[in-house]
Amino acid sequence: MDVAKVALLGIAGVLTGLLFKNGRQEYGVLIGIGVSVLIFAHVGACLGQLKDAVSAFSRAFDGNGEYLGILFKVVGITWLSEFSSGLCRDAGYQSIAAQVELFGKAAVLLAGMPVILSLAETITGFMG
């Protein structure tokens, strides 16, 4: 039922925003941002449940969880960057959206650096 609630919230937000399209457009933008934040908060709550399930799965296979933590960090950075750059684009600030995306890409690269270093160590170990 959560999907239906989020879908109805999105439709209600779009219809309410359309009411202000011809008159006060800034209200439409604010309504869109508010609905987006509400939906993103709901996604965050669902991600918490997903993290618990994946952590339980990882414990079943005696994993140390280091790479799983990096994976969640990278996914969180990606989604947050995409969400905030989308809001910037909707508000008409394409240059700020591009900078947010650029920072998100750099943050993903930095967060994934332990995996890259581990891979490099493994390759050099095989080579001799």
Side-chain angles (χ1 to χ4, degrees):
M1 278 314 233
D2 289 338
V3 175
K5 290 177 187 176
V6 169
L8 287 175
L9 178 64
I11 291 170
V14 167
L15 292 176
T16 307
L18 286 175
L19 291 174
F20 294 104
K21 187 169 183 140
N22 292 334
R24 305 283 300 225
Q25 291 181 355
E26 62 272 8
Y27 289 150
V29 171
L30 290 175
I31 289 170
I33 290 172
V35 169
S36 296
V37 168
L38 287 174
I39 292 173
F40 192 75
H42 192 71
V43 169
C46 292
L47 286 179
Q49 295 172 357
L50 178 66
K51 182 178 185 262
D52 294 340
V54 173
S55 294
F57 180 75
S58 175
R59 282 192 302 272
F61 290 103
D62 295 329
N64 63 0
E66 177 185 356
Y67 294 125
L68 186 63
I70 292 172
L71 174 69
F72 274 110
K73 187 183 289 186
V74 167
V75 169
I77 291 168
T78 304
W79 283 353
L80 190 59
S81 298
E82 182 74 24
F83 175 74
S84 57
S85 69
L87 286 180
C88 292
R89 269 194 183 62
D90 288 345
Y93 294 97
Q94 284 78 16
S95 61
I96 294 174
Q99 296 303 316
V100 168
E101 288 176 354
L102 179 65
F103 180 77
K105 291 173 185 176
V108 164
L109 181 63
L110 183 64
M113 201 52 85
V115 176
I116 295 170
L117 294 175
S118 175
L119 179 64
E121 289 175 6
T122 302
I123 290 172
T124 55
F126 286 140
M127 292 177 65

